[in-house]
Structures are given as structure tokens and as C-alpha cells.
Amino acid sequence: MTSVLFIGCYNICRSPMAELILKDLAEKAGVKSQFHIESAGVCSEYEGSMLSEPARCLLSRHGIPYFGKAARPLQRKDYGAFDLLLAMDWAGFSRAREFFSGDPEHKIRLLLDFAERPGEIEDPEFSMDYAKTWNELTAGCQGLLNYFATKERNPGKFRRVLCYGDSNTYGHDPRSLLGERYEEAVRWTALLRQKGWQIRNEGRNGRVIPYLKEDLETACAQFRDQETDIAVIMLGTNDLLNHCGLTAEVCARRMEDFLTYLLTEGPPCTLLLTAPPAMIPGAWIDDPRTLEESRRLPRCYETLAQKLGVAFVNAAEWNVSLTFDGVHFSKNGHRTFAAEMHRTLCAVLQNETP
């Protein structure tokens, strides 16, 4: 039996609704006996109180009983008693980790980590958009059920993947003016999620290879934050773009410092060094030397991967289409990258036939 605890603020709105929604979905799916589900709040001010009126109205409207449900505060014993502790937002996530003095078993997650659109579930007391809250709670709970169903059907095939990279991992839409992303359905990380991988997207616009001590420590903390089976690391493009004259060898030395730090200080997981697709002439890049170093980077990374004994893949061989800027993946490029990365992950982990 899997035990799940939803964590909210006062345990009178989002978290108890999530508890009751998951119970309802599990019952309808015929798997209720496989779960033990509760909820709690990081604050104790409303201990013993009934659900908020809007929460009761929403539950009644969807035919989900809530009678007898009362708020309870988080307890120290909860960490050992539950397999998974799911916060509604980053504030709740942080307060739960503080309450339990850390998260050594990586049990604390955001509920929407299991949905198609990861993120936070905003408190509807502030947004006043209860319909949105209901939809997000339902999406998260259904995603959670799908997660366990996939894990049960394919116990040797299910893996958690950390994708650590720059704007092409983030999913940057080059048509945007303020660094916006492609819609969820386009991004390669989301496409991998559709294939059953549990994806954690740690892409960030403008990221370069961490090589200063404080940057290495910050990056390593992100790797330790949640349990991971394999980390896809794809960086180097911004290093070449931002520093005229920088060579592929210098990028490889920076990457060596980064990977060595992860191997010694990071959590135990498989590292997959991914050489990014080479840049092409475009609105962002027309310097012949930089373009040449971009083409030379995969060979340097491959040599490094052999030296350190980590997995390697050359995405420059995948014919990923780029946009007008010569740097970012097109929508078709994301689809191509997702298909090739899926095959690569399967081969590296040897957990399923592509």
C-alpha cells in the first residue's frame, strides 16, 4: 500500500480537496485499497475546523462527500508514516522541508510535478479562481494515479530524469520578446513525459556551464533536491555565444570541473552528457569561428565522457531543426530531439525497448 499525505497551509481548502479528489479517483479506478491518503497543514491555527465554504461547494458540485473531514496540523511522525508528501506550492514545500529538518528520503514533492503542466497550485483565497484550483488539483491527482499505474505495469522501466540545461531545455520560444516558452505540448521534456518518463525540467535561459565554486555548489544542490535516476546535462552553447574566442576545449574543461564535482559531491545517479546540436548561421550567430567551435564541441565532450566514465550522446547527429536565430530548437526540432532522447535513455538505462 502506498501512503500519500497532501500538505497545505491550514488544511481547510487545497490539501483536503486533493485528499478527497484522489480518494474519489482511486475508488473509480478500482485501486482505492492500494492507497492510504490523508492531508495536513503546516499551520495549526485552524486545527479541528471544517473545510472552507468554497471547498465544500466544489466537492458537493462534483459529488464527492466531505463530511467528517477536519483540519489537522503536520506532525513529526508524518515523515516516516508516508511514502509521499505532496505540497501545493513552493512555500508549502519549503515549510515542510523546514518542519522535518530536511528531506533525506526525497519524499517531499509538488503535486503538479505529476501533471502535464508542472508548477504551483495557487491559493484560491487570493486568486479567487476556484475553478482553476479544482482543475489543477484534479490534474495533479490523476497524474499521480497514472504515475503509480505506469510504475506498477513497468516496474523495471520507470525512471526519474533530471534535465539540466539552457534555453533549449527550458523550451524557449525564439519568437517571444521576454523569454517565454513554447507551449507545454511542444517541449521535448514534456514529450518525454508523455512516454512515461518522470521528468524534472531544470532548464534556464542563458545558463552556462557552472565552473566557479559557488556556481558548482548551487548546481549540485539542485541535483540533490529530489531523487533522480539519470541526469541529462546539455550545456555549452551559451559559453560559446557569450565569449568570443572561447574554444571547444575550454568548454570541455569547464564541463569536466562540473561533472567531477557532481560525481564527488552530488547524489548517486547516472550522468548523460549531451553534446548540443551545433549552431548554424542565423540572427543570433554568424561568426565563423564560433560556429566551428560549436561543431567541434561534441568530439571534446565525447573524449571527456570516456575519461570520466559517464554516458554520452551527440545530439548534433540528430538533425534537430533550428529556428531563424540559428540557436534554438524549432517545434519540429523539439519533436525530433524528444524521440532521439527517448531512445537514448532507453539504451543507457537498458530498461525498455524503444
Side-chain angles (χ1 to χ4, degrees), residues 47-348:
E47 182 177 359
S49 299
M50 64 188 307
L51 276 64
S52 67
E53 182 177 354
R56 298 198 305 270
C57 291
L58 280 170
L59 291 163
S60 296
R61 188 181 309 158
H62 290 85
I64 299 178
Y66 57 83
F67 302 105
K69 178 61 188 171
R72 79 156 176 96
L74 204 58
Q75 301 173 0
R76 298 289 178 187
K77 65 180 181 180
D78 287 333
Y79 192 85
F82 290 89
D83 301 308
L84 202 55
L85 299 94
L86 299 176
M88 303 295 106
D89 52 31
W90 283 115
F93 177 92
S94 298
R95 294 186 71 174
R97 285 175 60 94
E98 181 180 356
F99 182 85
F100 293 119
S101 300
D103 182 19
E105 298 180 42
H106 306 285
K107 294 182 177 184
I108 306 174
R109 304 282 297 277
L110 291 182
L111 172 57
L112 287 188
D113 282 351
F114 297 91
E116 286 296 318
R117 296 180 179 274
E120 300 179 274
I121 300 177
E122 188 179 2
D123 189 340
E125 292 291 326
F126 298 104
S127 69
M128 299 307 294
D129 193 344
Y130 285 89
K132 178 184 177 184
T133 300
W134 180 270
N135 291 336
E136 290 175 339
L137 290 171
T138 302
C141 289
Q142 186 61 64
L144 184 63
L145 281 185
N146 295 342
Y147 167 88
F148 283 110
T150 302
K151 192 173 184 180
E152 182 178 352
R153 288 195 304 268
N154 305 294
K157 299 181 179 181
F158 196 83
R159 291 295 185 270
R160 295 155 295 194
V161 184
L162 168 63
C163 301
Y164 189 86
D166 51 29
S167 54
N168 275 328
T169 298
Y170 177 75
H172 173 68
D173 183 347
R175 300 167 300 179
S176 68
L177 297 177
L178 300 174
E180 291 93 339
R181 310 164 91 173
Y182 284 122
E183 55 270 28
E184 176 77 12
V186 170
R187 303 197 291 267
W188 66 265
T189 49
L191 295 173
L192 284 179
R193 187 179 293 114
Q194 293 175 11
K195 291 181 177 292
W197 300 95
Q198 184 65 30
I199 298 295
R200 179 179 162 208
N201 189 332
E202 287 292 347
R204 190 183 73 189
N205 289 339
R207 175 177 279 142
V208 297
I209 303 166
Y211 63 97
L212 299 176
K213 188 174 188 302
E214 60 183 40
D215 295 331
L216 292 171
E217 292 174 347
T218 300
C220 194
Q222 291 179 285
F223 279 72
R224 286 194 297 259
D225 188 49
Q226 294 180 20
E227 191 171 354
T228 300
D229 293 303
I230 184 167
V232 176
I233 301 170
M234 185 170 67
L235 290 168
T237 299
N238 286 317
D239 298 75
L240 294 174
L241 278 174
N242 296 344
H243 302 282
C244 183
L246 195 71
T247 65
E249 285 79 9
V250 172
C251 283
R253 286 198 292 272
R254 292 181 176 183
M255 182 61 75
E256 181 174 3
D257 290 342
F258 179 37
L259 296 182
T260 300
Y261 194 86
L262 288 177
L263 289 169
T264 56
E265 302 295 335
C269 72
T270 299
L271 300 182
L272 174 58
L273 176 58
T274 304
M279 293 180 279
I280 60 175
W284 278 32
I285 174 69
D286 60 2
D287 177 53
R289 180 174 177 178
T290 301
L291 291 169
E292 175 60 22
E293 295 305 314
S294 175
R295 290 189 288 267
R296 295 181 60 246
L297 187 61
R299 183 62 181 271
C300 294
Y301 276 5
E302 184 176 16
T303 301
L304 171 61
Q306 292 171 351
K307 176 182 178 180
L308 297 181
V310 302
F312 170 77
V313 66
N314 182 8
E317 297 178 342
W318 293 350
N319 295 317
V320 174
S321 62
L322 305 180
T323 62
F324 63 91
D325 61 18
V327 175
H328 293 103
F329 298 175
S330 68
K331 291 184 177 182
N332 283 334
H334 274 273
R335 284 190 282 271
T336 299
F337 192 94
E340 295 293 346
M341 182 55 73
H342 171 64
R343 282 189 278 269
T344 299
L345 291 171
C346 292
V348 171

